[in-house]
Amino acid sequence: MKTFDTQSVIAVIGAGAMGAGIAQVAATAGHTVLVYDNAEGAAEKGITNTAKGLEKLVSRGKIDAETRDGIIARMRPVNELDELADADLVIEAIVESLEIKRSLFTQLESICKPDTLLASNTSSISITSIGAALKRPENLAGLHFFNPAPIMKLVEVVSGLETDPQVARTLHQLATDWGKKAVHAKSTPGFIVNRLARPFYAEGLRLLEEGAADHATVDALMREAGGFRMGPFELMDLIGHDVNYAVTCSVFNAYYGDTRFLPSLTQQALVEAGRLGRKSGQGFYDYREGAEKTAPATLDDDNASAPATITVEGDLGVLGALVERLRGNGTQVVEREGRGLMRVGSCTLALTDGRMATERASQDGIDRLVLLDLAVDYSQCTRLAIAHDQRVSADELATVTALFDQSGIALTRLDDVPGLAVMRTVAMLANEASDAVMQSVCNAGDADRAMLFGVNYPRGPLAWAETVGLDAIHKTLINLQQSYGEERYRPSRLLRQKVFAGERFHD
Ligand SMILES: NC(=O)c1ccc[n+]([C@@H]2O[C@H](COP(=O)([O-])OP(=O)(O)OC[C@H]3O[C@@H](n4cnc5c(N)ncnc54)[C@H](O)[C@@H]3O)[C@@H](O)[C@H]2O)c1
């Protein structure tokens, strides 16, 4: 089987945003990289742009001039496809069209050596489908880099139906040698990242559409409680609504209209209006000169004083870290037996289980119930979402707010929606990851790694679900499904199996 070393010649076809970046990655790893683009001068321009980017790294002292010169010297523009005959691996990063990609790979098969590996950087086209046009589909795989390729760590190595598993393993090793975090994925719509990330946007959009909170508030919660680098709305604004909406529609259609991937009418309207996000000056946020920044909604304690003592009844699970934080900030904690509740003044606090506060207060016979959202780290978070039943008065809420203020946690009240913000998002991310694992799209480790390194999530969704407790995640999903009466929230069969068997995704 083919092996690669720095003597192996890499060819990159398409010298646009992705191709130039991929060529830079391979040249940095020491390969000679042949760069071909069918637009006149585009290969040279791609290399010139790379040189400019490297120049900035030199001026910041990140690399030396000799390294820069070596990388650029190894990137060689070529004018004809025929000049790629000696390539050991060809990576295609051209226009996203099945027909054009098929025709390119068919030509390459007659130009390159029989054992040359062929790879596509496609984001959305089936590798099986591209391979169907080839004489040697076993030599073709997806090598899906993320933008910008020199910076983003993840590479999805995508196997079509006919891809030789050894080819996938070789490409995985090569990407790893190039300093990337490689994961294996079966060719299915969205591969891993573009599929598993859908709920991050979808649940945010749903909260907005239901009037639970505005976009700036949801973003602040996902950052400050969820630990995500950006909230869904600022991220969609950055990606561009045209691009993000197109990916959602493509995944939704590819899964034959599965409602878990349902596109949002709110986002469609932004696209129709040309409010594409940062690039057009307006999306959910206004980026135009002088525009005011939208602030997240935060509860005021109205000068109420924090209670000196709270009571913790039973095991609070992940909320234990929050109790420790309150204790560390001077609150006395009385502990007694019970069913995992916190008493603060006349209110009862609990972690959301996917029911509305009103619903849970009525079903469990709890008066004045305040539900708390999930945080990635209760010992550090600076904001937390709450929802409460209608009997909680303004004064009682101010007392709870003062308690959290004292520990540096701003409270944000959401309308009484089931599963609040972070919890429902994490539950849905884990649910999608569980389905992908069940369907052999990837293994659990790769599902988590893909989200950590492809979209910088603070935790892999499955590992995160395990820290919350798979049982709690499962209950949240069942309750969301009950609240909405929608298939969208149905728990993944594999997740259910793990819960009932008392197993985990990770050992
Ligand atoms: N932009 C992203 O964020 C991103 C991320 C991951 C994957 N991708 C995928 O990477 C591929 C390229 O995307 P991009 O954003 O770099 O596009 P781009 O438009 O920036 O660049 C494409 C380049 O390919 C050239 N090209 C088009 N048809 C060609 C052909 N038949 N032969 C040779 N060259 C040809 C064009 O001249 C252009 O320079 C697509 O398949 C896309 O889905 C894009």
Side-chain angles (χ1 to χ4, degrees):
M1 189 59 193
K2 212 171 173 61
T3 53
F4 283 84
D5 58 28
T6 50
Q7 297 307 307
S8 311
V9 175
I10 311 296
V12 175
I13 304 186
M18 293 307 294
I22 296 167
Q24 180 186 330
V25 170
T28 304
H31 299 275
T32 295
V33 185
L34 307 174
V35 183
Y36 172 77
D37 195 296
N38 72 351
E40 208 180 315
E44 289 80 1
K45 193 173 155 218
I47 297 172
T48 310
N49 287 343
T50 303
K52 281 186 198 152
L54 291 174
E55 189 50 46
K56 283 192 196 142
L57 296 183
V58 173
S59 61
R60 279 193 240 132
K62 302 259 184 201
I63 58 168
D64 57 33
E66 204 181 319
T67 306
R68 171 203 57 200
D69 294 346
I71 296 169
I72 296 303
R74 287 191 288 278
M75 292 172 71
R76 306 203 184 132
V78 300
N79 294 319
E80 302 292 336
L81 267 187
D82 286 345
E83 294 176 60
L84 306 184
D86 288 335
D88 296 291
L89 164 66
V90 183
I91 306 173
E92 162 278 311
I94 65 166
V95 59
E96 188 74 339
S97 149
L98 173 62
E99 278 188 11
I100 301 176
K101 286 189 197 284
R102 272 185 171 172
S103 138
L104 174 70
F105 281 115
T106 312
Q107 289 179 67
L108 287 170
E109 270 196 322
S110 61
I111 293 169
C112 299
K113 299 174 279 186
D115 67 345
T116 296
L117 301 190
L118 303 176
S120 173
N121 185 50
T122 180
S123 301
S124 62
I125 300 175
S126 151
I127 297 300
T128 305
S129 187
I130 300 175
L134 302 186
K135 280 191 247 129
R136 292 183 294 276
E138 63 276 13
N139 283 351
L140 174 81
L143 211 45
H144 187 213
F145 288 78
F146 289 72
N147 193 9
I151 292 172
M152 294 304 290
K153 283 275 172 218
L154 186 70
V155 175
E156 293 177 331
V157 179
V158 186
S159 291
L161 208 51
E162 304 293 348
T163 305
D164 181 342
Q166 186 55 44
V167 166
R169 282 195 287 273
T170 302
L171 292 175
H172 188 285
Q173 184 58 52
L174 185 64
T176 308
D177 292 344
W178 290 356
K180 296 297 180 188
K181 302 281 182 189
V183 293
H184 285 291
K186 184 164 84 175
S187 181
T188 44
F191 308 142
I192 305 177
V193 171
N194 280 339
R195 169 184 174 172
L196 267 54
R198 293 345 297 157
F200 183 67
Y201 310 108
E203 292 311 307
L205 283 159
R206 188 141 201 182
L207 289 168
L208 179 78
E209 286 165 358
E210 287 182 20
D214 61 38
H215 59 277
T217 301
V218 174
D219 278 349
L221 285 168
M222 298 312 285
R223 276 194 319 269
E224 295 180 45
F228 292 90
R229 289 204 189 162
M230 293 179 109
F233 299 102
E234 47 201 353
L235 185 54
M236 285 184 276
D237 270 5
L238 180 68
I239 293 169
H241 291 285
D242 48 346
V243 175
N244 190 263
Y245 180 66
V247 175
T248 306
C249 289
S250 139
V251 173
F252 176 65
N253 293 329
Y255 283 102
Y256 299 109
D258 188 322
T259 53
R260 282 174 307 148
F261 305 114
L262 194 70
S264 144
L265 291 176
T266 304
Q267 191 173 35
Q268 184 194 56
L270 289 180
V271 175
E272 285 169 350
R275 280 172 53 168
L276 303 181
R278 277 182 194 237
K279 62 186 170 190
S280 73
Q282 244 186 315
F284 284 107
Y285 295 87
D286 192 341
Y287 301 93
R288 292 168 302 177
E289 190 86 19
E292 259 181 51
K293 239 186 129 18
T294 328
T298 303
L299 282 172
D300 200 318
D301 64 11
D302 290 327
N303 297 323
S305 26
T309 307
I310 61 171
T311 304
V312 168
E313 298 177 355
D315 181 6
L316 291 190
V318 282
L319 284 184
L322 177 63
V323 174
E324 283 321 304
R325 180 166 172 182
L326 298 176
R327 200 198 305 265
N329 285 292
T331 307
Q332 292 246 349
V333 180
V334 175
E335 294 179 39
R336 57 177 186 232
E337 294 287 292
R339 45 183 175 150
L341 301 171
M342 232 162 111
R343 310 279 182 188
V344 177
S346 43
C347 293
T348 299
L349 276 56
L351 179 68
T352 172
D353 67 357
R355 284 179 287 175
M356 291 175 284
T358 321
E359 182 184 11
R360 184 162 163 188
S362 151
Q363 288 174 348
D364 293 2
I366 300 173
D367 192 25
R368 297 180 170 80
L369 178 64
V370 178
L371 294 180
L372 302 175
D373 199 5
L374 183 65
V376 67
D377 181 359
Y378 286 105
S379 72
Q380 302 284 330
C381 68
T382 51
R383 181 177 296 276
L384 208 50
I386 61 151
H388 58 81
D389 79 69
Q390 314 97 317
R391 280 172 301 225
V392 175
S393 71
D395 284 350
E396 287 165 332
L397 197 56
T399 305
V400 174
T401 307
L403 172 73
F404 283 82
D405 269 357
Q406 187 172 279
S407 285
I409 303 173
L411 289 188
T412 285
R413 181 177 47 180
L414 299 183
D415 195 38
D416 188 11
V417 283
L420 295 168
V422 179
M423 181 64 111
R424 72 196 270 167
T425 302
V426 170
M428 286 297 276
L429 290 171
N431 206 29
E432 200 52 52
S434 171
D435 264 2
V437 173
M438 181 177 73
Q439 294 158 359
S440 305
V441 173
C442 57
N443 64 33
D446 279 357
D448 277 356
R449 259 190 300 282
M451 305 317 280
L452 285 172
F453 298 110
V455 270
N456 296 320
Y457 283 3
R459 282 192 196 158
L462 294 172
W464 199 342
E466 283 172 352
T467 63
V468 179
L470 293 185
D471 195 30
I473 294 290
H474 180 232
K475 268 196 198 119
T476 300
L477 290 165
I478 289 176
N479 286 330
L480 281 164
Q481 186 187 17
Q482 172 96 38
S483 270
Y484 287 107
E486 283 178 44
E487 183 73 7
R488 167 191 176 110
Y489 294 102
R490 99 281 175 278
S492 160
R493 200 263 290 153
L494 181 61
L495 173 67
R496 285 172 64 77
Q497 204 176 341
K498 297 272 180 209
V499 168
F500 294 121
E503 290 173 355
R504 297 163 63 93
F505 287 94
H506 300 288
D507 296 329

